[in-house]
């Protein structure tokens, strides 16, 4: 007896991972508000290895437009500053010898539209992943029919996979709509 769960569960897992990836990717797109996640991709040289800023300093958000970075070691000030300047953030940090401050400037209308476009591209990529997971599951179910799975069971399983597909596409649309609203809110 062939269990259709062996085809549906991996598809659902792939769809869930696509939504989680999108959520993480959207968190890294700055929306004019201070969010420490925008620093996650920046690596600093720490005793010969590359480490995230959060591993070598305390990162805090004292208000909606400021991120403060307090390095645990004095020698890290220059490294952290250099890493932020060389990153794709496009922000220059301020260093007063105690704390590195990053002031998040308000976004221009043009930049907001560009960020919405980036967010939409990330959402589309997630949708493609969900569709691929659905296609793979349905292909495997069709092959299982040749191995003895009844066609009625296969059709029911296909309907289940389609429902999962629709559920995860709705989650992706909701995530994108929330991010778009966040970006466009002045």
């Amino acid at each position: 007896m062939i269990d259709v769960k062996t085809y549906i569960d991996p598809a659902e897992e792939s769809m869930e991972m696509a939504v989680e990836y999108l959520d993480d990717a959207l968190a890294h797109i700055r929306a004019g508000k201070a969010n420490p996640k925008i620093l996650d991709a920046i690596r600093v040289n720490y005793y010969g290895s590359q480490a995230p800023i959060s591993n070598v300093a305390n990162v805090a958000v004292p208000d909606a437009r400021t991120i403060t970075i307090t390095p645990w070691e004095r020698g890290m000030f220059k490294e952290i500053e250099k890493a932020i300047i060389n990153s794709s953030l496009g922000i220059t940090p301020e260093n007063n010898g105690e704390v590195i401050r990053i002031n998040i400037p308000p976004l221009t209308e043009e930049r907001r539209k560009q960020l919405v476009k980036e967010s939409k591209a990330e959402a589309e990529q997630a949708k493609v992943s969900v569709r691929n997971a659905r296609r793979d599951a349905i292909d495997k179910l069709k092959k299982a029919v040749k191995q003895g799975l009844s066609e009625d069971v296969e059709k029911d399983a296909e309907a289940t996979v389609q429902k999962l597909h629709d559920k995860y596409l709705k989650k992706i649309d909701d995530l994108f709509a929330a991010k778009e609203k966040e970006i466009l809110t002045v």
Side-chain angles (χ1 to χ4, degrees), residues 39-44 46 49-57 80:
L39 300 175
D40 286 354
I42 301 174
R43 301 281 186 247
V44 294
Y46 186 65
S49 66
Q50 296 296 310
I53 290 177
S54 58
N55 286 9
V56 298
I80 292 172

Side-chain angles (χ1 to χ4, degrees), residues 119-183:
S119 299
K120 188 165 185 65
E122 290 287 353
E124 273 311 310
Q125 194 175 353
K127 284 181 178 183
V128 167
S129 296
V130 169
R131 290 182 190 119
N132 287 343
R134 174 190 61 179
R135 185 198 63 224
D136 292 346
I138 289 174
D139 287 349
K140 289 176 183 173
L141 286 165
K142 289 186 187 308
K143 287 179 184 167
V145 168
K146 293 176 184 160
Q147 297 170 352
L149 183 69
S150 78
E151 287 188 25
D152 290 344
V153 172
E154 187 261 342
K155 287 292 177 201
D156 291 344
E158 259 187 56
T160 303
V161 169
Q162 184 61 43
K163 283 180 188 164
L164 284 172
H165 168 267
D166 297 343
K167 173 181 137 185
Y168 284 104
L169 281 189
K170 177 155 180 22
K171 281 185 178 182
I172 289 169
D173 288 337
D174 293 347
L175 280 172
F176 171 69
K179 187 64 176 185
E180 183 179 34
K181 184 177 180 215
E182 181 187 341
I183 291 170

Side-chain angles (χ1 to χ4, degrees), residues 5-19:
K5 278 247 181 246
T6 59
Y7 303 110
I8 295 173
D9 288 348
E12 183 172 16
E13 197 176 306
S14 293
M15 292 177 189
E16 182 65 41
M17 284 173 29
V19 170

